Amino acid sequence: MNDPNTEARRRSRRQLILIAAVFLAPLMIAAGVGLTGWMPGTRGNGEPIEPQRSFVDVPLTLEDGSRYDWRDPEEPRFTLLALPGASCAARCEEQLAMMRNARITMNQNMQRVRLMYLGERTPGAAALAPEWQVARDDGKQLSEFRPTGADSLAAILVQSNGTALSLYRDGFNPTGLRKDMKKVVK
């Protein structure tokens, strides 16, 4: 015959195991998903610049001849750097306008992002809005990030301390750039 106390203990143990499984299952699933490298919502749309580097020592010369200060002395601000390819025509101009619009959609945080066009003011770039500063990289230290094709444009998002965060290669999605800026500029 079965002892009623033994049966009650078995039932209590099964209930305890079931309760523990309910609480441990999500943790095990999360650990498994994390080990595979998939993390929802944590990846940016740009490519990380590796090895991470600072642009503080990269001298950029503004149109007026002064040197660009990566660290704004008044307020910490990010720099959105536009790097045109061999020329800047219709497609490049469209990307520049979308980058400017992405900055505008940040509303009150829009002033925390400076727009920098790294190239000569060519006919295609002449349509740059007043928000864009124009500079040149005399030492060609940023040429590795510049696209090689005609009418192409790449972008780099740079932190207020001069550290490069993300590279957006030619053909990047401006919506993805806007999402990344909203994540980091708060």
Side-chain angles (χ1 to χ4, degrees):
M1 238 196 235
N2 287 343
D3 182 15
N5 288 336
T6 306
E7 191 61 38
R9 276 189 225 136
R10 285 184 187 152
R11 190 178 20 213
S12 294
R13 285 182 187 148
R14 281 187 292 235
Q15 288 174 344
L16 180 62
I17 290 171
L18 182 62
I19 290 171
V22 166
F23 286 101
L24 290 176
L27 295 174
M28 300 301 286
I29 291 169
V33 167
L35 290 174
T36 64
W38 183 72
M39 293 289 195
T42 58
R43 304 225 186 249
N45 293 287
E47 298 174 25
I49 295 178
E50 295 178 336
Q52 194 172 39
R53 57 192 271 197
S54 175
F55 288 171
V56 170
D57 295 327
V58 175
L60 298 183
T61 306
L62 297 170
E63 286 182 307
D64 66 3
S66 64
R67 184 172 177 201
Y68 181 68
D69 190 0
W70 291 98
R71 295 180 179 143
D72 190 335
E74 297 173 19
E75 170 187 359
R77 296 195 300 170
F78 288 74
T79 301
L80 182 56
L81 189 62
L83 300 143
S87 64
C88 187
R91 185 170 161 263
C92 174
E93 285 179 38
E94 183 179 324
Q95 287 285 95
L96 288 168
M98 286 193 260
M99 288 170 66
R100 188 182 119 257
N101 292 345
R103 177 182 175 260
I104 290 170
T105 63
M106 297 180 65
N107 298 324
Q108 72 269 16
N109 288 328
M110 140 176 121
Q111 296 303 321
R112 297 205 49 225
V113 177
R114 300 182 288 179
L115 299 175
M116 173 65 65
Y117 179 81
L118 192 59
E120 298 297 320
R121 196 178 286 271
T122 61
L128 289 172
E131 295 94 351
W132 286 94
Q133 291 180 295
V134 178
R136 64 181 185 276
D137 177 16
D138 293 327
K140 307 287 187 229
Q141 293 183 31
L142 300 177
S143 60
E144 67 184 278
F145 303 110
R146 192 179 294 274
T148 56
D151 198 19
S152 57
L153 184 73
I156 300 176
L157 184 58
V158 183
Q159 280 182 311
S160 56
N161 65 3
T163 304
L165 285 179
S166 299
L167 169 65
Y168 301 86
R169 295 202 185 273
D170 182 38
F172 66 90
N173 180 355
T175 303
L177 172 65
R178 179 184 54 80
K179 288 178 183 176
D180 288 353
M181 286 193 316
K182 284 194 173 205
K183 283 181 197 173
V184 296
V185 180
K186 296 177 182 171

